[in-house]
């Protein structure tokens, strides 16, 4: 029934506009008539139908959302944010695997809001790497999730008490079993390092976040999502905290392996 109500509202621009207009606060009928781009009769019909569905209720001086109406309004708002997220770079979302993110954070992806996808080009293959290195080198501390070993990222990572580095099991296992891969853990005297199973990369600082998702075919990509919005930074900070809490301290992992 809840899905039917959402679909019912979204199949009409007038109903959608009414629900959206009433979401911030109750409004008198005259104000609704003046702010909505629809005829008077269409607005009255929509209000009557929304009331019949239990989404709005009439008051002496206007209209307000019911509890159900507010939940529907919130859902429509999230859907619109998701549509904006996908529309900003449809190709990226088609080619990259969002299933690797925990579901609660997939549901929150629209919070990223404004973002840029930094890609390599034929004339600038190292552009994504340079983007990460430049940003990480410019801050005194940051939180980084690294599922693959990259010497340039290692060199750029600040070694400070407020920085945290989360490495994948794969990086540590390769470090122990192959001479060609060597993470210099002794380089970090102040940065705390933990280990976990993670198939995506993340870096977050006070003023930016960078997310790298694997491609659908399993290949490790070069394209990276970069955002400087407060909402995106908050999303990335929460995701890192979730991973960090369940990760194993580096010393413990090495002792066990």
């Amino acid at each position: 029934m809840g899905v039917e109500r959402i679909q019912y509202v979204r199949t009409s621009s007038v109903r959608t506009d009414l629900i959206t207009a009433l979401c911030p606060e109750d409004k008198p009928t005259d104000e609704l008539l003046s702010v909505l781009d629809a005829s008077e009769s269409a607005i009255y019909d929509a209000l009557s139908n929304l009331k019949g569905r239990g989404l709005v209720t009439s008051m002496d001086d206007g209209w307000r959302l019911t509890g159900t109406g507010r939940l529907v309004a919130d859902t429509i708002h999230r859907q619109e944010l998701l549509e904006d997220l996908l529309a900003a770079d449809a190709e990226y979302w088609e080619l990259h695997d969002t299933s690797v993110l925990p579901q609660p954070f997939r549901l929150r992806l629209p919070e990223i809001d404004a973002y840029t996808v930094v890609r390599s080009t034929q004339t600038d293959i190292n552009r994504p790497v340079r983007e990460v290195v430049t940003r990480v080198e410019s801050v005194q501390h940051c939180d980084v999730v690294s599922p693959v070993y990259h010497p340039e990222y290692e060199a750029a990572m600040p070694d400070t008490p407020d920085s945290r580095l989360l490495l994948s099991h794969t990086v540590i296992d390769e470090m122990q079993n192959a001479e060609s891969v060597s993470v210099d853990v002794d380089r970090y005297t102040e940065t705390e390092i933990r280990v976990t199973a993670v198939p995506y990369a993340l870096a977050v600082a006070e003023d930016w976040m960078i997310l790298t998702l694997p491609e659908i075919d399993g290949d490790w990509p070069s394209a990276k999502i970069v955002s400087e919005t407060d909402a995106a930074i908050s999303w990335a900070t929460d995701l890192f905290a979730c991973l960090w809490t369940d990760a194993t301290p580096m010393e413990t992992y090495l002792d066990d392996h």
Side-chain angles (χ1 to χ4, degrees):
M1 182 63 73
V3 173
E4 292 177 0
R5 287 191 177 98
I6 295 166
Q7 292 175 338
Y8 175 74
V9 172
R10 295 217 68 181
T11 53
S12 162
S13 61
V14 180
R15 291 193 290 266
T16 301
D17 290 345
L18 277 169
I19 290 290
T20 301
L22 291 171
C23 190
E25 59 184 359
D26 309 339
K27 285 185 172 59
T29 304
D30 289 347
E31 184 175 346
L32 290 173
L33 294 173
S34 65
V35 299
L36 266 64
D37 185 17
S39 66
E40 239 183 71
S41 60
I43 292 173
Y44 277 117
D45 285 346
L47 285 169
S48 176
N49 290 331
L50 291 171
K51 183 178 181 179
R53 297 265 179 157
L55 298 172
V56 303
T57 185
S58 57
M59 307 178 299
D60 292 340
D61 58 345
W63 297 83
R64 73 169 42 160
L65 294 177
T66 64
T68 300
R70 189 160 299 280
L71 293 175
V72 169
D74 289 343
T75 300
I76 290 173
H77 179 62
R78 289 195 297 272
Q79 289 177 342
E80 291 173 343
L81 290 176
L82 177 59
E83 290 166 1
D84 291 342
L85 179 86
L86 300 177
D89 197 313
E91 181 184 8
Y92 180 87
W93 300 107
E94 290 171 7
L95 297 178
H96 292 78
D97 187 2
T98 57
S99 71
V100 298
L101 294 169
Q103 186 184 36
F105 290 92
R106 288 203 307 272
L107 295 174
R108 290 179 55 190
L109 269 173
E111 294 177 21
I112 290 177
D113 196 13
Y115 64 92
T116 300
V117 177
V118 179
R119 294 178 171 90
S120 59
T121 65
Q122 289 183 341
T123 57
D124 193 357
I125 296 176
N126 292 322
R127 183 180 173 223
V129 173
R130 191 170 61 253
E131 179 76 22
V132 175
V133 170
T134 300
R135 287 182 178 271
V136 172
E137 285 182 337
S138 70
V139 297
Q140 293 184 342
H141 60 85
C142 60
D143 294 330
V144 172
V145 177
S146 181
V148 295
Y149 174 69
H150 199 297
E152 290 188 61
Y153 295 163
E154 180 188 13
M157 179 76 186
D159 183 25
T160 61
D162 293 328
S163 293
R164 293 177 293 180
L165 177 59
L166 195 52
L167 298 174
S168 73
H169 297 136
T170 302
V171 171
I172 304 303
D173 294 343
E174 288 181 351
M175 176 190 75
Q176 293 179 304
N177 299 323
E179 294 181 359
S180 59
V181 178
S182 179
V183 179
D184 184 10
V185 293
D186 293 332
R187 172 185 178 276
Y188 301 105
T189 59
E190 297 184 275
T191 297
E192 185 176 355
I193 305 175
R194 293 187 184 181
V195 183
T196 191
V198 61
Y200 53 89
L202 180 72
V204 57
E206 291 182 354
D207 298 322
W208 49 261
M209 61 79 71
I210 303 173
L211 174 67
T212 309
L213 297 173
E215 294 182 358
I216 288 292
D217 58 12
D219 288 345
W220 187 247
S222 61
K224 303 180 183 303
I225 290 177
V226 179
S227 180
E228 297 179 349
T229 69
D230 291 342
I233 294 167
S234 178
W235 178 89
T237 299
D238 290 347
L239 176 55
F240 184 89
C242 179
L243 295 169
W244 185 258
T245 298
D246 295 331
T248 304
M250 179 72 150
E251 297 80 3
T252 303
Y253 185 83
L254 292 176
D255 288 344
D256 293 340
H257 294 76

